[in-house]
Amino acid sequence: MSNIITLFSMLIVIIYGAINLNKFPVVGILNFASIGFLLVVFLLNARKKYMFAKLWLLFSLLSLCAVVNLLIPHVATFYLLCALTAGLMVFHARWVQFILIIFVSLAITAPNYIQLPVAYIVKLSGGRMLFNSVFGICCLSALIIYIQYIQRQYQKKIVKQNSYITGLNNDLKNLFAVIAHDFLSPLQSSHYVLDKIKKKELQGEEKEIGIEQISRQVFALQDNLKGILEWSRHNLEGLQPQPQRINLASFSQAIIDSVEDRYILKNIRFDLDIPIEFNIYADPVHMGIVFRNILDNAWKFSFPNSTISICARSTGKEIQYKVSDQGLGIPQEVLDGIFSRFNQPRFGTSGERGSGLGLVLVKRLLKANKGAIVAESSLNQGTSMTIYMPHSPL
């Protein structure tokens, strides 16, 4: 803002310098000399000393107008009022406003009491006074309108930032809830196995299998935690993706392996059909949350001894990734808003409780990674979740 006001002020100074050089050469030279002082404003702003730049601009304009007002009585009155208006609107410190009012009052009234014995000064013509008055009023009006415009723009930015921060807080709350859910399920499964080992209900080979399951889950949790911590270091402003090339087949298999123990309890099988050459370009932590939530929902609502199918196809510009279960399905009234609002938690085929918020966050994470998701479902027949993601660049 100070740079624009400075440019506007320099234009006015140049205009008056050219006019004054003929009849008032000393004032004209003073006008052009003041341009050097105004240029300092750009230097201060370039060095990010914004407050000093504003003070210097105000000091330069007030000094120039005060001196000219003494040399030619009342010729710069309107411009002193311009500087006073700008100063009062820009500076909110009471002491600065007080000094401005006193300085401008003295500069305007001083010509009535101080007569400088300068021989070349003559009385201004009526036409010149009219020009100065009209031009000064126009400049004052333009300055007020411009500053009000800047203030409105700042207000809009503040409202927009408040809305962004509110949405960001909601996203982070939901993200933490989903992450907690992702950690809670394997911990519960591990606790279940440990409890059986503690009660000596597992012996021999069964005990070794149980310990191996716990080991795999602990390593999976460790990897997930490392990924989340790494991602959080680069995402202090919210759900900002850090995309990289992801092989869809190996990534999906790793997600399945990390939650395999839960599926064994319901004897659920996987039918994985993903071409090995398919790669997407997305944030791996985001996509891990997305895939785990979709598979977790498929597990919850699948009937025991059923199959979850995962396939991927290329549609040209994007990859279609589809997860289909053979389970309870979703009622139409719930399906219509499943990605746009937080629903009441539903219970799975074996009493598993959902969080009611996973799919809302899934959609937001996919959107942040330039993806999309579509749901199709039939009651007691199953649900299909289809993700659309861009191909990874070569």
Side-chain angles (χ1 to χ4, degrees):
M1 182 174 70
S2 58
N3 281 345
I4 294 177
I5 294 177
T6 302
L7 285 172
F8 185 65
S9 302
M10 288 175 64
L11 178 62
I12 296 174
V13 167
I14 291 171
I15 292 173
Y16 273 105
I19 294 173
N20 291 328
L21 274 179
N22 185 26
K23 290 187 177 181
F24 312 107
V26 172
V27 177
I29 292 171
L30 183 63
N31 289 143
F32 285 114
S34 64
I35 294 175
F37 288 92
L38 293 175
L39 289 173
V40 176
V41 175
F42 299 112
L43 178 62
L44 291 172
N45 278 328
R47 295 181 178 179
K48 298 183 179 181
K49 297 181 179 180
Y50 305 119
M51 185 55 65
F52 285 110
K54 292 177 184 177
L55 286 170
W56 183 266
L57 172 61
L58 189 61
F59 167 77
S60 301
L61 292 177
L62 285 174
S63 300
L64 172 64
C65 293
V67 172
V68 172
N69 218 44
L70 278 175
L71 293 175
I72 308 177
H74 304 300
V75 70
T77 296
F78 281 104
Y79 301 103
L80 283 166
L81 292 175
C82 281
L84 174 62
T85 302
L88 292 177
M89 296 182 76
V90 172
F91 296 98
H92 302 291
R94 296 298 181 189
W95 67 272
V96 176
Q97 294 179 339
F98 178 76
I99 292 174
L100 281 176
I101 294 171
I102 297 298
F103 185 90
V104 173
S105 299
L106 291 174
I108 291 175
T109 57
N112 296 325
Y113 304 99
I114 300 175
Q115 300 293 326
L116 295 179
V118 182
Y120 62 83
I121 294 298
V122 296
K123 187 175 181 180
L124 288 180
S125 65
R128 175 63 186 274
M129 287 297 293
L130 178 62
F131 171 79
N132 285 354
S133 300
V134 172
F135 195 53
I137 291 173
C138 291
C139 291
L140 180 59
S141 301
L143 178 64
I144 293 174
I145 291 172
Y146 173 70
I147 292 178
Q148 288 179 337
Y149 168 77
I150 293 296
Q151 289 177 336
R152 286 196 299 271
Q153 295 301 111
Y154 283 147
Q155 188 64 35
K156 288 180 181 178
K157 287 183 179 179
I158 291 172
V159 172
K160 186 177 180 180
Q161 287 176 346
N162 286 340
S163 177
Y164 171 76
I165 291 172
T166 300
L168 179 61
N169 287 336
N170 290 334
D171 284 344
L172 290 177
K173 288 178 182 178
N174 299 334
L175 176 63
F176 292 146
V178 173
I179 289 174
H181 179 267
D182 286 346
F183 277 76
L184 182 61
S185 294
L187 286 174
Q188 287 177 332
S189 178
S190 296
H191 180 267
Y192 174 77
V193 176
L194 282 172
D195 188 58
K196 282 186 170 294
I197 293 175
K198 182 179 179 181
K199 293 178 180 178
K200 297 182 180 180
E201 294 179 8
L202 297 179
Q203 298 291 336
E205 186 177 351
E206 288 184 342
K207 181 178 179 181
E208 293 297 324
I209 293 174
I211 293 173
E212 180 62 28
Q213 289 177 353
I214 293 172
S215 178
R216 288 201 306 271
Q217 289 177 342
V218 168
F219 279 116
L221 285 171
Q222 186 178 27
D223 289 340
N224 289 339
L225 183 58
K226 285 180 180 178
I228 290 170
L229 291 174
E230 180 64 28
W231 172 74
S232 66
R233 284 200 293 267
H234 301 285
N235 289 271
L236 297 179
E237 296 184 357
L239 304 180
Q240 303 296 323
Q242 302 291 325
Q244 56 184 268
R245 190 168 179 264
I246 300 173
N247 182 266
L248 203 53
S250 59
F251 191 76
S252 299
Q253 188 61 59
I255 297 294
I256 292 171
D257 291 341
S258 68
V259 295
E260 180 183 13
D261 297 331
R262 277 178 280 173
Y263 295 88
I264 293 175
L265 296 175
K266 295 172 77 170
N267 193 30
I268 293 175
R269 300 172 300 279
F270 283 97
D271 181 10
L272 195 62
D273 181 16
I274 302 176
I276 192 65
E277 69 272 13
F278 278 10
N279 299 294
I280 60 173
Y281 191 63
D283 187 307
V285 176
H286 286 185
M287 297 312 295
I289 294 172
V290 168
F291 286 9
R292 279 194 298 273
N293 269 273
I294 291 176
L295 289 178
D296 196 49
N297 282 337
W299 164 69
K300 285 191 186 88
F301 302 112
S302 288
F303 293 115
N305 305 309
S306 62
T307 300
I308 295 176
S309 300
I310 303 175
C311 64
R313 299 290 181 267
S314 176
T315 61
K317 294 182 180 180
E318 57 191 3
I319 289 179
Q320 175 182 302
Y321 184 87
K322 189 173 185 179
V323 179
S324 303
D325 65 59
Q326 300 168 340
L328 291 173
I330 304 172
Q332 189 61 46
E333 62 272 15
V334 177
L335 185 65
D336 290 340
I338 199 168
F339 297 113
S340 60
R341 65 174 181 265
F342 298 127
N343 300 288
Q344 289 296 322
R346 299 170 62 222
F347 292 88
T349 54
S350 297
E352 306 93 340
R353 189 177 188 273
S355 64
L357 52 78
L359 289 177
V360 177
L361 184 60
V362 161
K363 183 176 180 179
R364 292 178 183 174
L365 290 172
L366 286 172
K367 184 178 179 180
N369 286 272
K370 300 180 180 179
I373 185 169
V374 175
E376 299 174 315
S377 186
S378 298
L379 283 177
N380 297 316
Q381 295 184 30
T383 300
S384 293
M385 295 286 179
T386 305
I387 296 172
Y388 297 90
M389 290 297 298
H391 280 279
S392 172
L394 297 176

